[in-house]
């Protein structure tokens, strides 16, 4: 299995001077490109050429015997770049400091990302071989949406029981040989079913303590755990605070533009090719910041007109739950779902008493 590693290479003499020049050239091109909001293709291309030349120079020096070391975590910004451009000041990072002790005075260090370095293959922590196929589940005559809801509710119940023993969606709980890791899988769950069923299990219930359940998406990526049984919830929607309406994502339903106050998320930022768990985390971070900003001036009620992108739904409502745990009663959310056969329909409010 490949791994991403980071090479630290010391450049001396003429290679040091060339590296400094390439670094200055790339930094100037990046500054010029950043000053143009529309993007400057010429300066971006110059920056890429200078960075590629810097990386090639460092790798050639390493092949020729220059001092180098390797790290499994980034020392600088996590991209190929020159470190410690002021040789007379002491380097801050211990790896860089140790490397410069092996080089001639005045050397500089270049960090190079090695994206496909040979790495160890991590095997499951099991002694009984591969996991067997999942047990077949029967809908027993239920209609599609009802069957999905029943199965997702059962998945949540099992995840809550096993979460204490299986905090990560990538591990199998001990003592459960032959079973799959008990993570909830939001992928493919209809918008209203996903939102309202999560709301049902988020509510505090006597005899059921709070628990963080693992989340795994269809692409295999594991997201931040989702808190269930975490906050008391009321079922009525009687907003007495500021009422704002948002589309969860821009551009999805342009007919909403005359109804909502704005879009909570920018579609161009969220709907990009990436692991679903990363999209979930981006939505979560964005929502946490925006909820904090909105409630800084007092309580607020939100009508959220939702699209069905599962990572966006899960990330947003995880942020709502964590916000309510820190600031009870500061925000209330009414989900509103698009329907093909008529107007939008309301879901169950997310509101702490």
């Amino acid at each position: 299995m490949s791994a991403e590693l980071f090479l630290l290479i010391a450049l001396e003499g003429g290679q040091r001077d060339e590296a400094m020049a390439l670094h200055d050239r790339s930094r100037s091109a990046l500054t010029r490109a950043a000053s143009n909001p529309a993007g400057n293709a010429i300066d971006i291309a110059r920056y890429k050429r200078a960075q590629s030349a810097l990386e090639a120079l460092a790798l050639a020096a390493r092949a020729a015997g220059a001092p180098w070391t390797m790290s499994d975590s980034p020392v600088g910004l996590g991209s190929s770049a020159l470190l410690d451009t002021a040789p007379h000041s002491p380097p801050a990072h211990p790896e860089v400091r140790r490397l410069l002790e092996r080089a001639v005075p005045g050397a500089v260090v270049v960090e190079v990302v090695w994206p496909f370095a040979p790495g160890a293959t991590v095997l499951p922590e099991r002694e009984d071989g591969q996991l067997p196929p999942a047990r077949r589940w029967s809908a027993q005559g239920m209609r599609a949406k009802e069957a999905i809801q029943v199965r997702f509710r059962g998945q949540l119940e099992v995840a809550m029981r096993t979460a204490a023993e299986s905090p990560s969606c990538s591990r199998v709980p001990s003592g459960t040989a032959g079973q799959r890791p008990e993570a909830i899988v939001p992928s493919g769950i209809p918008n209203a079913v996903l939102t309202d069923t999560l709301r049902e299990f988020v509510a505090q219930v006597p005899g059921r303590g709070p628990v963080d359940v693992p989340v795994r998406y269809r692409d295999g990526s594991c997201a931040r755990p989702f808190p269930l049984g975490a906050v008391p919830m009321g079922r009525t929607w009687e907003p007495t605070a500021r009422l704002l309406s948002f589309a969860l994502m821009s551009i999805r339903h342009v007919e909403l533009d005359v109804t909502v106050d704005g879009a909570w998320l920018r579609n161009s930022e969220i709907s990009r090719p990436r692991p679903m768990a990363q999209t979930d985390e981006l939505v979560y971070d964005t929502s946490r910041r925006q909820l904090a900003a909105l409630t800084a001036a007092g309580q607020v009620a939100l009508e959220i007109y939702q699209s069905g992108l599962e990572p966006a739904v899960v990330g947003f409502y995880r942020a709502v739950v964590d916000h309510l745990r820190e600031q009870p009663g500061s925000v209330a959310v009414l989900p509103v779902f698009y329907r093909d056969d008529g107007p939008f329909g309301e879901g169950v409010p997310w509101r702490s008493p």
Side-chain angles (χ1 to χ4, degrees):
M1 181 180 294
S2 63
E4 184 177 74
L5 299 177
F6 303 87
L7 304 177
L8 302 177
I9 305 167
L11 301 184
E12 307 164 336
Q15 290 179 327
R16 170 199 177 278
D17 297 336
E18 186 176 352
M20 294 287 287
L22 289 170
H23 173 71
D24 292 340
R25 193 184 309 166
S26 63
R27 185 170 55 183
S28 297
L30 186 62
T31 301
R32 289 193 300 271
S35 65
N36 183 1
N40 189 326
I42 295 177
D43 284 320
I44 291 174
R46 287 171 177 165
Y47 170 78
K48 291 180 178 179
R49 283 198 301 269
Q51 287 294 98
S52 297
L54 178 62
E55 185 175 298
L57 176 68
L59 292 176
R62 172 176 174 261
W68 68 280
T69 188
M70 187 163 54
S71 172
D72 58 2
S73 60
V75 173
L77 299 176
S79 60
S80 299
L82 183 72
L83 305 175
D84 296 289
T85 58
H88 300 294
S89 61
H93 198 281
E95 289 284 354
V96 176
R97 191 161 54 245
R98 285 193 290 268
L99 180 60
L100 289 176
E101 289 173 356
R102 296 159 44 197
V104 300
V108 295
V109 174
V110 174
E111 180 179 30
V112 176
V113 181
W114 189 4
F116 300 111
T121 299
V122 180
L123 300 176
E125 299 179 10
R126 297 176 56 85
E127 298 178 356
D128 52 354
Q130 297 294 320
L131 296 172
R135 186 172 57 184
R136 184 175 180 179
W137 186 85
S138 173
Q140 299 177 344
M142 290 181 283
R143 298 179 68 86
K145 187 173 181 179
E146 180 186 5
I148 292 172
Q149 186 172 27
V150 170
R151 190 171 189 186
F152 186 52
R153 183 179 287 115
Q155 194 178 83
L156 286 163
E157 291 172 348
V158 174
M160 288 192 75
R161 288 199 304 268
T162 60
E165 203 175 348
S166 177
S168 168
C169 76
S170 60
R171 290 194 57 206
V172 177
S174 60
T176 57
Q179 296 185 20
R180 293 178 178 272
E182 304 297 352
I184 63 172
V185 184
S187 300
I189 307 297
N191 191 4
V193 171
L194 176 60
T195 306
D196 286 345
T197 309
L198 284 176
R199 158 63 181 77
E200 175 187 344
F201 281 80
V202 161
Q204 287 182 350
V205 175
R208 187 174 72 186
V211 62
D212 292 339
V213 300
V215 178
R216 183 177 62 248
Y217 286 97
R218 179 167 41 203
D219 61 359
S221 59
C222 294
R224 183 190 296 259
F226 199 98
L228 300 181
V231 291
M233 286 284 187
R235 297 189 65 85
T236 59
W237 179 248
E238 300 173 353
T240 58
R242 290 174 298 150
L243 178 60
L244 299 173
S245 298
F246 290 97
L248 182 61
M249 292 181 61
S250 64
I251 308 300
R252 290 299 180 100
H253 298 290
V254 293
E255 69 273 17
L256 287 175
D257 290 350
V258 298
T259 303
V260 299
D261 298 302
W264 190 260
L265 302 168
R266 189 184 295 272
N267 187 62
S268 61
E269 296 176 353
I270 303 304
S271 299
R272 293 183 180 180
R274 62 166 74 91
M276 292 183 179
Q278 290 184 13
T279 299
D280 178 318
E281 186 68 14
L282 174 60
V283 173
Y284 173 80
D285 288 340
T286 302
S287 299
R288 286 284 279 165
R289 291 195 304 270
Q290 294 177 176
L291 287 169
L294 281 175
T295 56
Q299 292 180 327
V300 63
L302 305 177
E303 289 181 337
I304 300 294
Y305 289 77
Q306 296 184 197
S307 56
L309 183 65
E310 298 94 342
V313 173
V314 174
F316 172 73
Y317 283 104
R318 185 193 296 106
V320 170
V321 175
D322 285 348
H323 183 86
L324 286 174
R325 294 167 86 175
E326 296 175 4
Q327 302 180 45
S330 60
V331 66
V333 178
L334 179 66
V336 187
F337 309 116
Y338 180 79
R339 292 176 176 171
D340 294 330
D341 56 351
F344 285 83
E346 297 179 354
V348 182
W350 293 61
R351 180 186 67 83
S352 60

